[in-house]
PDB file of all heavy atoms in Angstrom:
ATOM      1  N   PRO Q  24      -1.973  17.401  13.550  1.00  0.00           N
ATOM      2  CA  PRO Q  24      -1.774  18.724  14.131  1.00  0.00           C
ATOM      3  C   PRO Q  24      -0.367  19.162  14.287  1.00  0.00           C
ATOM      4  O   PRO Q  24      -0.104  20.349  14.138  1.00  0.00           O
ATOM      5  CB  PRO Q  24      -2.557  18.567  15.523  1.00  0.00           C
ATOM      6  CG  PRO Q  24      -2.474  17.093  15.760  1.00  0.00           C
ATOM      7  CD  PRO Q  24      -2.531  16.361  14.423  1.00  0.00           C
ATOM      8  N   GLY Q  28       4.000  12.874  12.627  1.00  0.00           N
ATOM      9  CA  GLY Q  28       3.197  11.895  13.405  1.00  0.00           C
ATOM     10  C   GLY Q  28       2.819  10.654  12.756  1.00  0.00           C
ATOM     11  O   GLY Q  28       3.190  10.462  11.451  1.00  0.00           O
ATOM     12  N   ILE Q  32      -3.424   2.746  10.623  1.00  0.00           N
ATOM     13  CA  ILE Q  32      -4.619   2.667   9.660  1.00  0.00           C
ATOM     14  C   ILE Q  32      -5.021   1.234   9.276  1.00  0.00           C
ATOM     15  O   ILE Q  32      -5.731   1.088   8.388  1.00  0.00           O
ATOM     16  CB  ILE Q  32      -4.391   3.595   8.407  1.00  0.00           C
ATOM     17  CG1 ILE Q  32      -3.215   3.034   7.588  1.00  0.00           C
ATOM     18  CG2 ILE Q  32      -4.203   5.086   8.744  1.00  0.00           C
ATOM     19  CD1 ILE Q  32      -2.978   3.649   6.200  1.00  0.00           C
ATOM     20  N   GLN Q  41     -13.060  -5.811   3.333  1.00  0.00           N
ATOM     21  CA  GLN Q  41     -14.413  -6.413   3.588  1.00  0.00           C
ATOM     22  C   GLN Q  41     -15.471  -5.880   2.621  1.00  0.00           C
ATOM     23  O   GLN Q  41     -16.294  -6.611   1.970  1.00  0.00           O
ATOM     24  CB  GLN Q  41     -14.894  -6.367   5.062  1.00  0.00           C
ATOM     25  CG  GLN Q  41     -14.015  -7.306   5.887  1.00  0.00           C
ATOM     26  CD  GLN Q  41     -14.774  -7.633   7.246  1.00  0.00           C
ATOM     27  OE1 GLN Q  41     -14.817  -6.741   8.119  1.00  0.00           O
ATOM     28  NE2 GLN Q  41     -15.607  -8.728   7.365  1.00  0.00           N
ATOM     29  N   GLY Q  44     -15.349  -7.069  -1.102  1.00  0.00           N
ATOM     30  CA  GLY Q  44     -15.726  -8.495  -1.407  1.00  0.00           C
ATOM     31  C   GLY Q  44     -14.544  -9.353  -2.023  1.00  0.00           C
ATOM     32  O   GLY Q  44     -14.807 -10.439  -2.536  1.00  0.00           O
ATOM     33  N   VAL Q  45     -13.361  -8.807  -2.185  1.00  0.00           N
ATOM     34  CA  VAL Q  45     -12.282  -9.503  -2.605  1.00  0.00           C
ATOM     35  C   VAL Q  45     -11.797 -10.640  -1.638  1.00  0.00           C
ATOM     36  O   VAL Q  45     -11.480 -10.270  -0.478  1.00  0.00           O
ATOM     37  CB  VAL Q  45     -11.166  -8.615  -2.983  1.00  0.00           C
ATOM     38  CG1 VAL Q  45      -9.865  -9.332  -3.366  1.00  0.00           C
ATOM     39  CG2 VAL Q  45     -11.468  -7.763  -4.195  1.00  0.00           C
ATOM     40  N   LEU Q  51      -3.035  -2.191  -2.414  1.00  0.00           N
ATOM     41  CA  LEU Q  51      -2.059  -1.179  -2.393  1.00  0.00           C
ATOM     42  C   LEU Q  51      -2.479  -0.039  -1.566  1.00  0.00           C
ATOM     43  O   LEU Q  51      -3.622   0.530  -1.643  1.00  0.00           O
ATOM     44  CB  LEU Q  51      -1.781  -0.643  -3.955  1.00  0.00           C
ATOM     45  CG  LEU Q  51      -1.083   0.675  -4.023  1.00  0.00           C
ATOM     46  CD1 LEU Q  51       0.428   0.446  -3.816  1.00  0.00           C
ATOM     47  CD2 LEU Q  51      -1.250   1.217  -5.508  1.00  0.00           C
ATOM     48  N   GLU Q  67       4.098   0.070  18.591  1.00  0.00           N
ATOM     49  CA  GLU Q  67       4.772   0.227  19.904  1.00  0.00           C
ATOM     50  C   GLU Q  67       5.314   1.651  20.087  1.00  0.00           C
ATOM     51  O   GLU Q  67       6.137   2.066  19.230  1.00  0.00           O
ATOM     52  CB  GLU Q  67       5.841  -0.833  20.014  1.00  0.00           C
ATOM     53  CG  GLU Q  67       6.113  -1.124  21.577  1.00  0.00           C
ATOM     54  CD  GLU Q  67       7.216  -0.005  21.953  1.00  0.00           C
ATOM     55  OE1 GLU Q  67       8.297   0.182  21.428  1.00  0.00           O
ATOM     56  OE2 GLU Q  67       6.897   0.642  23.080  1.00  0.00           O
ATOM     57  N   TYR Q  91      19.518  22.747   2.130  1.00  0.00           N
ATOM     58  CA  TYR Q  91      18.731  22.059   1.163  1.00  0.00           C
ATOM     59  C   TYR Q  91      18.299  23.132   0.021  1.00  0.00           C
ATOM     60  O   TYR Q  91      17.648  24.102   0.511  1.00  0.00           O
ATOM     61  CB  TYR Q  91      17.495  21.518   1.896  1.00  0.00           C
ATOM     62  CG  TYR Q  91      17.679  20.457   2.862  1.00  0.00           C
ATOM     63  CD1 TYR Q  91      17.218  20.687   4.220  1.00  0.00           C
ATOM     64  CD2 TYR Q  91      18.363  19.330   2.533  1.00  0.00           C
ATOM     65  CE1 TYR Q  91      17.452  19.766   5.139  1.00  0.00           C
ATOM     66  CE2 TYR Q  91      18.470  18.305   3.538  1.00  0.00           C
ATOM     67  CZ  TYR Q  91      18.081  18.475   4.738  1.00  0.00           C
ATOM     68  OH  TYR Q  91      18.181  17.503   5.761  1.00  0.00           O
ATOM     69  N   HIS Q 104      10.904  15.171   2.505  1.00  0.00           N
ATOM     70  CA  HIS Q 104      11.128  14.482   1.270  1.00  0.00           C
ATOM     71  C   HIS Q 104      12.033  13.420   1.375  1.00  0.00           C
ATOM     72  O   HIS Q 104      11.916  12.333   0.795  1.00  0.00           O
ATOM     73  CB  HIS Q 104      11.493  15.305   0.056  1.00  0.00           C
ATOM     74  CG  HIS Q 104      10.428  16.332  -0.373  1.00  0.00           C
ATOM     75  ND1 HIS Q 104       9.591  15.994  -1.281  1.00  0.00           N
ATOM     76  CD2 HIS Q 104      10.155  17.580  -0.001  1.00  0.00           C
ATOM     77  CE1 HIS Q 104       8.703  17.182  -1.587  1.00  0.00           C
ATOM     78  NE2 HIS Q 104       9.163  18.108  -0.748  1.00  0.00           N
ATOM     79  N   ALA Q 117      -0.873  -8.767   0.604  1.00  0.00           N
ATOM     80  CA  ALA Q 117      -1.740  -9.809   0.080  1.00  0.00           C
ATOM     81  C   ALA Q 117      -3.056  -9.808   0.845  1.00  0.00           C
ATOM     82  O   ALA Q 117      -3.304  -9.656   1.982  1.00  0.00           O
ATOM     83  CB  ALA Q 117      -1.121 -11.321   0.227  1.00  0.00           C
ATOM     84  N   PRO Q 127       2.374 -11.734  12.684  1.00  0.00           N
ATOM     85  CA  PRO Q 127       1.709 -11.432  14.091  1.00  0.00           C
ATOM     86  C   PRO Q 127       1.831 -10.040  14.515  1.00  0.00           C
ATOM     87  O   PRO Q 127       0.867  -9.645  15.193  1.00  0.00           O
ATOM     88  CB  PRO Q 127       2.553 -12.423  14.979  1.00  0.00           C
ATOM     89  CG  PRO Q 127       3.898 -12.695  14.211  1.00  0.00           C
ATOM     90  CD  PRO Q 127       3.517 -12.715  12.758  1.00  0.00           C
ATOM     91  N   ASP Q 137       5.416  16.322   7.261  1.00  0.00           N
ATOM     92  CA  ASP Q 137       5.199  17.773   6.998  1.00  0.00           C
ATOM     93  C   ASP Q 137       3.636  18.107   7.186  1.00  0.00           C
ATOM     94  O   ASP Q 137       2.943  18.304   6.231  1.00  0.00           O
ATOM     95  CB  ASP Q 137       5.677  18.155   5.600  1.00  0.00           C
ATOM     96  CG  ASP Q 137       5.608  19.694   5.324  1.00  0.00           C
ATOM     97  OD1 ASP Q 137       5.669  20.408   6.365  1.00  0.00           O
ATOM     98  OD2 ASP Q 137       5.344  20.105   4.111  1.00  0.00           O
ATOM     99  N   ARG Q 143      -3.770  12.922   2.018  1.00  0.00           N
ATOM    100  CA  ARG Q 143      -4.443  11.713   1.724  1.00  0.00           C
ATOM    101  C   ARG Q 143      -3.722  10.480   1.499  1.00  0.00           C
ATOM    102  O   ARG Q 143      -2.486  10.599   0.958  1.00  0.00           O
ATOM    103  CB  ARG Q 143      -5.260  11.954   0.331  1.00  0.00           C
ATOM    104  CG  ARG Q 143      -6.579  12.838   0.350  1.00  0.00           C
ATOM    105  CD  ARG Q 143      -6.969  13.082  -0.992  1.00  0.00           C
ATOM    106  NE  ARG Q 143      -6.030  13.844  -1.750  1.00  0.00           N
ATOM    107  CZ  ARG Q 143      -6.146  13.988  -3.226  1.00  0.00           C
ATOM    108  NH1 ARG Q 143      -7.030  13.203  -3.916  1.00  0.00           N
ATOM    109  NH2 ARG Q 143      -5.218  14.670  -3.888  1.00  0.00           N
TER     110      ARG Q 143
END
Side-chain angles (χ1 to χ4, degrees):
Chain Q
I32 59 174
Q41 285 199 282
V45 168
L51 166 70
E67 196 280 304
Y91 298 122
H104 290 270
D137 185 28
R143 285 174 291 162

